[in-house]
Amino acid sequence: MKELTKLDKLNIYASCNLSNDDYYSLSLLYQPLIGSTSLGVYFTLNSLLERNNLKSESYFHHNLFDILNMDEKSFLDARLKLEAIGLMETFFKDDEYVYLLKQPLTPNQFLKDSTFGLYLCGTIGKVMYDILKNHFKIESIDRKSLENITINFNEVFSSEVPDLETIDKDTMMLGRKPNKSVKIENHEFDFEEFLCNIDDSYLENGVTPAFKKVIIDTSFVYGFDEGDMESLYKRSLGSDHYFDVKALRKAALELYNAKTNTKTPPILSATVRDKNYFFMESVVNRSTPDFLESFSPNYPKSYLTTIDLLYRNIDLPREVVTTMIYYVLIIKEGVLPSVQYFKSMAKQWIDMDIITKDSAFEYVKNNPPIAESEKKTKSYTKKEPKLKTSDWAENNKKNIKEGFETL
């Protein structure tokens, strides 16, 4: 598909209007994860819908960019976040885009979701997370002491009803369809292997798509492998000996805490998977802790926070920032510099017009990263240097060389 341009047309669709609860959910729960810019794009697209049929007029993208006061790159970054978190679907044909807006999860659905709830807690902290939970909490009625005197439908309404066959069941009507949770593909996790190692007779309804999703989502969020998930499954069997998803989530937190001495998984921004870049494969298909361990086995946990800040504060596409992190880690031999270091480097890349994944790849290809220790050795002697680089450095340099030769 060609790159998005200002002259491409667009149409916007939605299935129902946003409610007040939707606005609360978007502002307080989604915004910490996607940022105010992406949320502004979502609200603007929703505002362009005609109220009578929830469809917009046909616009050019430059009309939308003028309203949003942003360029193509900023809009695309915001759009990808909306797609990834399940608030929007994008379709394309003949230089025309169709944006289908999806309704947000309710606060109850969001906070209980195995992925969103954990990510939100990791982003805003446990204290603020508990405050938001109480904000949306509703006091339930104690029905045990009350008598239910509600009458039935047929006690008020006549049994003479219209012929249901006259209703056009194929026509799309205004109404809310529950928004499914975000789709996660964990390409590293082999679900079939996991399935072969567990006793699925403990599943009341068998191996359902919902069960598969819970297992894959949990493995992705925490960076667990098949063996970890097998152990968690066994620990998740309730007193009735059936699988309990709540017990799985509790056990997952305990296992992660035991492994890393932290209470919630790190909030890591993933890049768009592109098979043409060998280093993107290693980043996207592996958890960030595993990725960092390939450079520095005993990396400080603060590196996770630094990487999160880089994605949030450097105004470049995520693919470019990921390439930059990979590039610097090789040069620095597994040591991750400060955010300010990367900001300075980002300014240099922008000045050199390295602002897309293609230009970033070309730069790395034409300027292969060299470890600083190797540079110093070469500057002091003409003899063949005897480097004391660790295995990760040698392996990564070899992978880069082989990757460039195959591309």
Side-chain angles (χ1 to χ4, degrees), residues 323-379:
T323 307
M324 187 183 298
I325 294 171
Y326 190 93
Y327 189 78
V328 170
L329 281 172
I330 294 177
I331 293 176
K332 296 292 185 180
E333 301 182 80
V335 177
L336 191 70
S338 66
V339 173
Q340 190 57 46
Y341 177 94
F342 281 97
K343 284 186 176 181
S344 300
M345 190 172 188
K347 185 178 183 304
Q348 296 175 6
W349 281 30
I350 292 172
D351 291 341
M352 293 186 291
D353 203 30
I354 305 173
I355 56 176
T356 65
K357 60 184 179 184
D358 295 323
S359 57
F361 174 75
E362 285 300 318
Y363 177 79
V364 175
K365 180 179 179 181
N366 296 326
N367 301 271
I370 302 174
E372 289 183 341
S373 61
E374 186 173 347
K375 290 181 182 178
K376 292 178 181 178
T377 304
K378 287 184 177 180
S379 64

Side-chain angles (χ1 to χ4, degrees), residues 133-143:
K133 280 185 67 176
N134 290 329
H135 179 77
F136 290 111
K137 187 176 180 180
I138 298 176
E139 293 295 331
S140 59
I141 302 173
D142 182 8
R143 302 182 185 183

